[in-house]
Amino acid sequence: ASQDPVWQVDLGDVPDGEYRIVVGDQKSDPFKVGGTVYDKALMAAQKHFFFQRTRMPLEKPYAVWEDTAYLREKASHVHDDVGWDLTEHPAKKTKWKVEGGWHDAGNFDMYIPSTGPTAQGMLIAYEWNPKLFKDKDLNIPESGNGVPDLLDETRWGLIWILSLQEKDTGVFRLREAVMEWSPEGPADKDMTERWIGGPSSSSTAKAVAVLARASRVYRPFDEKFADQCAEAAKKGWAWLVANPEHLRAKNGVSKQELWDDGPDFNDTG
């Protein structure tokens, strides 16, 4: 969009070290070449999710990055006004029991359409290069349990997705969010009403996809959890097959297709 000229440079044969690119009298900023250049970025990208967790305090020694602590005194969003069914709004009749999850951004809302693909990317990264992700990498409460820390962190998002499935139908709800704005301040001070959005084809499709993969990835570490993911994925897929129209949580039904083919459940057992 900027129309700026861009060049690619192959640095594959350049020895490790710090360099600049010089063209005439123009010099680039200094940059490093080496096999560990992205190690810190990789750790930071994973550790970020721990600081986005809800429903737990952020305490030392875990809530620390580069010698700076980012603490939360208490668990957030466990107050009595969490989990009301939005399909019954404004009445407060049915309450969902929600677990785990990451705040979506700087606010405290949470959505399957963002959590599902995010967790999917984390699982894909692990499957592509499992040797890169180890236990005790991230200094999180689960470190030392024999499971790669990346998978422990991903599980915090997955248990929230699982808690948004309708047990009788298999469809997944859209989100856990407020109807207005949450006040500025620490997450554990937010006592705003939090509502569980309506059923959604897109949320169900994204949940099915990530849970089907999770059932394969977690099986060597926790067979019971893998079975739970597989069962939820199959139930969600059955709902999608029986309801091919695109059900939107807010605006009814759309004829827009969600997929070309379904997931392969052969690996889920």
Side-chain angles (χ1 to χ4, degrees):
S2 69
Q3 303 299 312
D4 290 336
V6 177
W7 290 267
Q8 289 184 325
V9 180
D10 184 355
L11 302 174
D13 296 327
V14 176
D16 291 3
E18 185 168 290
Y19 297 89
R20 292 178 185 265
I21 294 178
V22 180
V23 179
D25 61 351
Q26 301 295 313
K27 294 182 179 180
S28 73
D29 292 331
F31 59 89
K32 293 181 179 180
V33 173
T36 61
V37 170
Y38 297 108
D39 286 2
K40 181 178 177 181
L42 180 63
M43 290 297 108
Q46 297 174 76
K47 185 73 175 187
H48 155 81
F49 289 95
F50 176 75
F51 292 107
Q52 292 294 105
R53 288 190 189 189
T54 189
R55 283 177 264 280
M56 68 171 297
L58 299 181
E59 301 173 324
K60 292 182 179 180
Y62 310 111
V64 176
W65 178 254
E66 294 190 330
D67 299 323
T68 300
Y70 301 91
L71 306 180
R72 180 193 301 150
E73 182 181 357
K74 299 179 295 184
S76 63
H77 303 119
V78 293
H79 55 282
D80 290 340
D81 260 340
V82 172
W84 296 113
D85 196 316
L86 186 59
T87 64
E88 300 167 345
H89 184 271
K92 296 179 179 179
K93 296 180 181 179
T94 305
K95 183 182 284 189
W96 288 66
K97 181 182 178 182
V98 284
E99 301 178 89
W102 303 302
H103 296 136
D104 189 66
N107 60 23
F108 305 134
D109 293 348
M110 301 156 70
Y111 303 84
I112 285 183
S114 52
T115 300
T118 299
Q120 184 82 274
M122 295 162 79
L123 296 178
I124 290 172
Y126 176 77
E127 284 198 299
W128 281 0
N129 196 346
K131 293 181 180 179
L132 191 61
F133 304 101
K134 302 179 179 63
D135 188 19
K136 302 181 182 180
D137 269 354
L138 302 179
N139 184 33
I140 58 177
E142 298 86 353
S143 294
N145 64 358
V147 178
D149 282 357
L150 177 67
L151 298 187
D152 283 325
E153 190 57 59
T154 306
R155 182 170 178 155
W156 196 261
L158 293 174
I159 62 175
W160 178 76
I161 292 175
L162 287 166
S163 71
L164 260 64
Q165 185 176 37
E166 292 185 1
K167 304 308 178 188
D168 54 342
T169 67
V171 70
F172 285 81
R173 295 300 189 93
L174 172 66
R175 65 177 188 168
E176 174 192 340
V178 299
M179 294 299 291
E180 304 294 339
W181 291 100
S182 294
E184 293 185 6
D188 57 346
K189 306 300 182 185
D190 176 24
M191 298 295 153
T192 312
E193 295 174 358
R194 293 173 68 84
W195 296 79
I196 304 302
S200 161
S201 296
S202 295
S203 292
T204 303
K206 290 175 172 64
V208 165
V210 70
L211 292 172
R213 184 179 297 274
S215 71
R216 177 176 69 234
V217 173
Y218 286 91
R219 191 158 298 281
F221 305 102
D222 188 335
E223 189 169 352
K224 183 177 179 180
F225 183 65
D227 287 343
Q228 182 184 3
C229 292
E231 181 181 354
K234 291 177 180 178
K235 197 170 183 178
W237 178 246
W239 183 89
L240 289 167
V241 171
N243 299 272
E245 69 281 2
H246 188 169
L247 177 64
R248 298 177 181 272
K250 289 185 177 180
N251 301 320
V253 172
S254 167
K255 295 182 179 180
Q256 177 184 356
E257 295 184 359
L258 291 170
W259 54 78
D260 293 324
D261 199 0
D264 183 0
F265 289 108
N266 292 331
D267 292 329
T268 68

